[in-house]
Amino acid sequence: MNKQIPKQDCMPAATVRRVEELDRAIVRFAGDSGDGMQLTGDAFAKIIASGGYDFATRPDYPSEIRAPTGTLFGVSGYQIQFSSHEVFTSGDAPDVLVAMNPAALKTNLADVKRGGAIIVNSSAFTDGNLSKAGYQSNPLEDASLTDYRVYRVDISGLTVRALESLGLPPKEAGRCKNYYALGLVLCLYGRPLDAEEQRIRAKFAGKARIAEANVTALRAGYAYAEACEMFVTTYVVRPGNIKPGVYRSLTGNQAAALGFVTASELAGVPLFLGSYPITPATDILHELAALRHYNVKTFQAEDEIAGICSAIGAAYGGVLGVTSTSGPGMALKTEALGLTAMLELPLVIINVQRAGPSTGLPTKVEQSDLLQAVYGRNGECPVPVIAASSPADCFDCAIEAFRIATKYMTPVILLSDGGIGNAAEPWRIPDLADMAPFEIAFRTDPEGFLPYARDANLARAWVRPGTPGMEHRLGGLEKDFLTGDISHNPLNHQRMVEVRAAKVAGIAREIPPLAISGPREGDLLVVGWGGTYGPIVQACKQAEGAGKSVAHLHLRYLNPLPGDLEETLSRYRKVLVPELNLGQLSRLLRERFLRDVVVLSKVQGKSFTQAEIYDRIMELC
Amino acid sequence: MNEMSACQELTRKDFESNQDVRWCPGCGDYALLEQVKRLLPGLGIPRANFAFISGIGCSSRFPYYLETYGLHGIHGRAPAIASGLKLARPELSVWVVTGDGDSLAIGGNHFIHAMRRNIGLKIILLNNRIYGLTKGQCSPTSEFGKSTKSTPMGNIDRPFSPVSVALGAGAGFVARTIDNDLQHLRQTLKRAAEHPGTAFVEVRQNCVVFNDGANDPINDKDTRNDVRMLLEHGKPLRFGVDGNRGVRIRGFEPEIVTLGENGVTEADLAVHDETSAHGGLAFCLSQFAAPLPLPLGVFRAVEAMPYETLNAGLAEEARRKRGKGTLEQLLSGGHTWNVN
Ligand code: SF4
């Protein structure tokens, strides 16, 4: 290598290089939303995945598409934790932060582990950028970073220099700096480059110059870190001891989309998505729109209401109807959801929750739509609600939602959230032979047909229009118990309200016995639901390690609640419920079981850290 | 019984449901129901393949009274429900029955998008220019200045024309007819039924309770031809009790002329062309207001590939390029790696 390496930038200077073995590592990439940090994080995750590690990621991006460059609110970040052991979250405090500008440093510094490494793009620390980030003095020059190992690298400048021979305009060359940064980090963890190079070439097929530029930047970053011995210590994380199999990486939204199509394939019934774009749920529409070679139709409706109404029309037509949305869209769909409950048609509504109320924090996570899901309709209108606990769990929950919907002829709300919806984790590709069959029977026999006659599950029959001799009318007006004709009879209304409630309540019969990790009885049970699974598991493990008797129960079924839940709660002296809201599940538990619980609530647009839950556990036992 | 013979043997009676019709006696909605029952048996479609979708309002009770598949939805949303049904099951004949409040006020958004998308829906709007079911408030088609329960001092909302809205939104088939001209009503519905893609028909309908007589001038056999004009494709725009009046268009301005006066001949009159690609004349006609005669008939009938056909094309293309997807490919797609 005969390139000039500007050693003066390499700090701290290294003499002897050590290779240290780690159990796990947490890396965060942060920069302007135009710096390509999501892409970089994603590429890093793919490389990590190929290494056979378990991992979890957390993209964190502003709601503005291109916020003004250099500003604090324009910072976009991507965190990944990887390990040889099971990984449940993207981790709390990063071991390594890559900060592409002062704003990224400022907004992320507080999270970085004391003594952790910070790689900064030094050339972005100009007076202008410093003042946009609100720095009075340059943190690279004053004492504010003394607790960290800081690596100042002129990432922008070195990238442009590395690409000189390709003859790209400097602006275009500068855009490759994220791959340069990725190269630096890959050197730190001793990960190979070849697979990523192939992916770059595949991605920019037909744009050879750009592919070449990105590959060159990636290599240059890696080579730079190696040649100038930038890192005193590099790390290896031992490859994992995770279950053998073929894996792929899935975000929650991808997993949900795959789950919906899987349900359709298993049942042999087409899938129809009616949807309106809304953050953070839109990827479900994107994923399904790309799967038209399956029995999948997607319809980008004129609004949220048309999204659900078109799916209702499709369900009436005898296909698997689904609509995807997030909180504000859920509010708009409410009336149509009530109609679906009245029509007793199967439908799945997936709400990828975000921080509310109103527009709230569109790109940030919260679990504050639980009560809306359970109760938020006019009239007595129970609807089954289930929640996914992790990105991969969205797959199983999507299938489960359709199973319940079709078996009980009811709309089902599937709650996900912006955290698990956009975060990725490895997913072991299931064996087809292991998948439970999914049978859907349409009624075609006109003999004795009554539209609202019910089976043992209190479900009425699903009849496809076009079936001769079974023409009938459905509607939102109250109907006769058997014929489905309009009925204003007072006793009939009471009977119908009760039977709709009994039908949904009856789903509890098939909820599997609760699986508790930890002691079967004792001092403390931590009850969680949805996307907070990761931090709760880790906090409980940590508390166990500290000798505490603490058990963890994570609820998938939120309406109806499992039949053995009340008894389960009674086996513990205290119940702690961590929730990203002001205590919505807690309220349900108190109301249903007259059982007090301790709420641990957080509404900051972020999930819990392990430490937050651990500390509360330690206070309670 | 095979499907074809099933259709051939269908009669008006086969479409009669066992439900009591609950519209007020004399309501114009009965006329539509009757004409639809007469029309459907002749369309060559098995009864089970019809689906009638509605929203909320007097008009939206329609599906209950017809022995077909039917869905009485929620206020304003019938076009969205019907769109999903038609896309999921393109082989069905899907109809929407709606009203002026249902589709132009609360459901305005779905209405315009149904018009522009060209999904093969037949949309019939019963326009009585008042809210009936909620007992007499002004609607988006109520006249300016009209006194109603919600506008006791006169309506200061400016009405719009359903036909103009449909044309403005790009609908391919747009027509207007009236409840008590049974012949015209039936002919217009037939044209709509035969049109591929979205077909929209405004039916001027009399609400005997809350807006009785609103259509009298265009109904009265003696005088109606002075205030209404029947549109016929390729024919000059003529009207009048004596048939001697017509519409001439100068620049962009329509004007009434009398044949034989001031040397005006039929050759001076504008000629109706429902197939005109840009539909300028159709829109001009849709804006006619007194003293210009109210046009009835087909304003526009331009065929374009229906949405559901394009949709099927996308699926075909995707399968041609990638093959019919299998569950195995679905699950193991994307970037994968082995853990041993
Ligand atoms: S209120 Fe008017 S529109 Fe409604 S049923 Fe009676 S007459 Fe017909």
Side-chain angles (χ1 to χ4, degrees), chain B residues 23-24 27 29 58 128 132 205-210:
Chain B
W23 290 312
C24 308
C27 173
D29 293 357
C58 291
N128 55 18
Q205 171 244 333
N206 191 32
C207 170
V208 289
V209 178
F210 298 108

Side-chain angles (χ1 to χ4, degrees), chain A residues 41-58:
Chain A
D42 207 47
F44 187 67
K46 287 206 170 85
I47 297 162
I48 289 306
S50 315
Y53 303 102
D54 197 8
F55 66 90
T57 71
R58 182 171 73 227

Side-chain angles (χ1 to χ4, degrees), chain B residues 71-91:
Chain B
L71 197 158
H72 179 211
I74 43 177
H75 208 7
R77 320 300 172 201
I81 297 172
S83 296
L85 176 58
K86 182 72 180 171
L87 295 183
R89 301 284 308 284
E91 73 277 20

Side-chain angles (χ1 to χ4, degrees), chain A residues 45-47 49-53 55 199 240 242-249 258 261-262 265-266 272 290-303 305-307 309-319 335-336 339 343 345 395 425-427 429-430 432 435 463-477 479 484-486 488, chain B residues 3 16-19 22 46-53 56 61-75 77-92 106 109-111 113-114 116-117 119 307-308 310-312 314-320 322-340:
Chain A
K46 287 206 170 85
I47 297 162
S50 315
Y53 303 102
F55 66 90
R199 273 192 293 273
I242 49 178
K243 196 173 170 191
V246 183
Y247 282 77
R248 68 189 285 194
S249 165
L258 277 193
V261 182
T262 301
E265 288 288 315
L266 288 174
F272 178 96
L291 294 175
R292 283 182 181 266
H293 54 309
Y294 289 86
N295 262 328
V296 174
K297 282 176 183 156
T298 58
F299 178 61
Q300 184 180 326
E302 57 270 23
D303 59 26
I305 299 171
C309 284
S310 59
I312 292 171
Y316 178 58
V319 310
E335 187 195 12
L339 174 70
L343 300 174
L345 283 172
F395 176 81
E425 68 179 6
W427 180 64
I429 296 171
L432 286 187
M435 300 192 101
V463 178
R464 298 166 82 242
T467 311
M470 299 183 77
E471 292 86 348
H472 64 282
R473 274 63 55 195
L474 300 177
L477 282 166
K479 287 165 292 292
D485 294 339
I486 300 173
H488 292 102
Chain B
E3 279 200 349
E16 206 153 74
S17 86
N18 62 356
Q19 300 297 296
R22 299 204 191 179
R47 188 180 67 177
N49 279 14
F50 287 106
F52 278 73
I53 313 296
I56 295 293
R61 296 292 177 97
F62 195 95
Y64 289 114
Y65 308 139
L66 208 57
E67 190 56 22
T68 62
Y69 283 92
L71 197 158
H72 179 211
I74 43 177
H75 208 7
R77 320 300 172 201
I81 297 172
S83 296
L85 176 58
K86 182 72 180 171
L87 295 183
R89 301 284 308 284
E91 73 277 20
L92 299 178
I106 194 166
N109 196 28
H110 311 303
F111 179 78
H113 290 282
R116 84 175 163 94
R117 277 199 193 101
I119 299 176
Y307 186 105
E308 60 274 20
L310 295 168
N311 210 28
L314 295 182
E316 247 166 58
E317 190 187 331
R319 280 175 202 156
R320 201 177 56 242
R322 303 168 71 180
K324 165 96 185 76
T326 66
L327 187 50
E328 197 161 14
Q329 288 164 355
L330 176 77
L331 300 181
S332 57
H335 167 67
T336 61
W337 65 92
N338 270 298
V339 173
N340 303 314

Side-chain angles (χ1 to χ4, degrees), chain A residues 65-124:
Chain A
I65 299 302
R66 284 280 165 91
T69 49
T71 57
L72 294 174
F73 59 89
V75 173
S76 164
Y78 189 106
Q79 181 162 316
I80 174 167
Q81 170 163 228
F82 60 104
S83 170
S84 43
H85 303 295
E86 259 185 304
V87 170
F88 297 100
T89 69
S90 57
D92 292 353
D95 302 301
V96 174
L97 170 70
V98 177
M100 298 301 280
N101 68 6
L105 179 66
K106 183 141 193 193
T107 47
N108 289 284
L109 183 62
D111 294 338
V112 180
K113 193 179 281 171
R114 291 283 137 142
I118 299 176
I119 302 171
V120 293
N121 177 16
S122 58
S123 49

Side-chain angles (χ1 to χ4, degrees), chain A residues 177-506:
Chain A
K177 64 178 179 296
N178 59 328
Y179 276 108
Y180 194 97
L182 180 60
L184 297 176
V185 179
L186 290 177
C187 175
L188 180 62
Y189 288 103
R191 301 311 312 158
L193 301 182
D194 37 343
E196 183 54 25
E197 290 179 7
Q198 275 174 27
R199 273 192 293 273
I200 294 174
R201 290 192 210 283
K203 185 172 163 194
F204 297 102
K207 293 181 191 161
R209 212 163 67 141
I210 297 185
E212 211 41 54
N214 283 325
V215 168
T216 308
L218 179 73
R219 284 185 188 163
Y222 194 102
Y224 171 82
E226 197 166 55
C228 79
E229 295 183 344
M230 175 169 152
F231 303 110
V232 189
T233 311
T234 59
Y235 302 102
V236 278
V237 177
R238 272 176 286 111
N241 50 4
I242 49 178
K243 196 173 170 191
V246 183
Y247 282 77
R248 68 189 285 194
S249 165
L250 282 184
T251 65
N253 284 341
Q254 290 171 327
L258 277 193
F260 294 139
V261 182
T262 301
S264 153
E265 288 288 315
L266 288 174
V269 174
L271 180 78
F272 178 96
L273 171 79
S275 185
Y276 186 78
I278 184 168
T279 304
T282 320
D283 278 344
I284 297 173
L285 170 61
H286 299 163
E287 291 292 327
L288 291 176
L291 294 175
R292 283 182 181 266
H293 54 309
Y294 289 86
N295 262 328
V296 174
K297 282 176 183 156
T298 58
F299 178 61
Q300 184 180 326
E302 57 270 23
D303 59 26
E304 293 281 357
I305 299 171
I308 184 169
C309 284
S310 59
I312 292 171
Y316 178 58
V319 310
L320 296 179
V322 54
T323 185
S324 51
T325 192
S326 185
M330 195 67 193
L332 285 166
K333 292 181 197 294
T334 302
E335 187 195 12
L337 187 50
L339 174 70
T340 322
M342 200 72 163
L343 300 174
E344 303 195 42
L345 283 172
L347 188 78
V348 173
I349 301 99
I350 177 167
N351 175 357
V352 185
Q353 298 165 96
R354 63 193 225 187
S358 185
T359 310
L361 302 169
T363 58
K364 307 294 179 192
V365 62
E366 212 164 85
Q367 298 179 301
S368 45
D369 298 346
L370 175 60
L371 292 179
Q372 178 197 40
V374 175
Y375 292 122
R377 286 162 294 283
N378 62 306
E380 292 289 351
C381 188
V383 167
V385 180
I386 64 174
S389 59
S390 70
D393 192 42
C394 289
F395 176 81
D396 296 327
C397 284
I399 299 174
E400 179 67 0
F402 267 126
R403 267 186 214 285
I404 297 172
T406 52
K407 182 168 177 185
Y408 292 89
M409 292 294 281
T410 176
V412 174
I413 295 173
L414 167 53
L415 293 175
S416 168
D417 66 54
I420 60 176
N422 286 310
E425 68 179 6
W427 180 64
R428 194 171 160 277
I429 296 171
D431 203 328
L432 286 187
D434 296 342
M435 300 192 101
F438 188 168
E439 272 177 34
I440 292 176
F442 293 101
R443 177 159 179 164
T444 53
D445 178 11
E447 198 54 42
F449 170 62
L450 289 166
Y452 274 77
R454 294 166 192 279
D455 66 11
N457 296 315
L458 300 178
R460 63 177 203 90
W462 198 4
V463 178
R464 298 166 82 242
T467 311
M470 299 183 77
E471 292 86 348
H472 64 282
R473 274 63 55 195
L474 300 177
L477 282 166
E478 187 57 282
K479 287 165 292 292
D480 178 81
F481 192 76
L482 288 173
T483 62
D485 294 339
I486 300 173
S487 167
H488 292 102
N489 180 309
L491 292 179
N492 178 75
H493 178 53
Q494 173 124 17
R495 201 174 173 204
M496 287 299 272
V497 168
E498 285 172 358
V499 79
R500 285 188 290 263
K503 177 174 83 168
V504 172

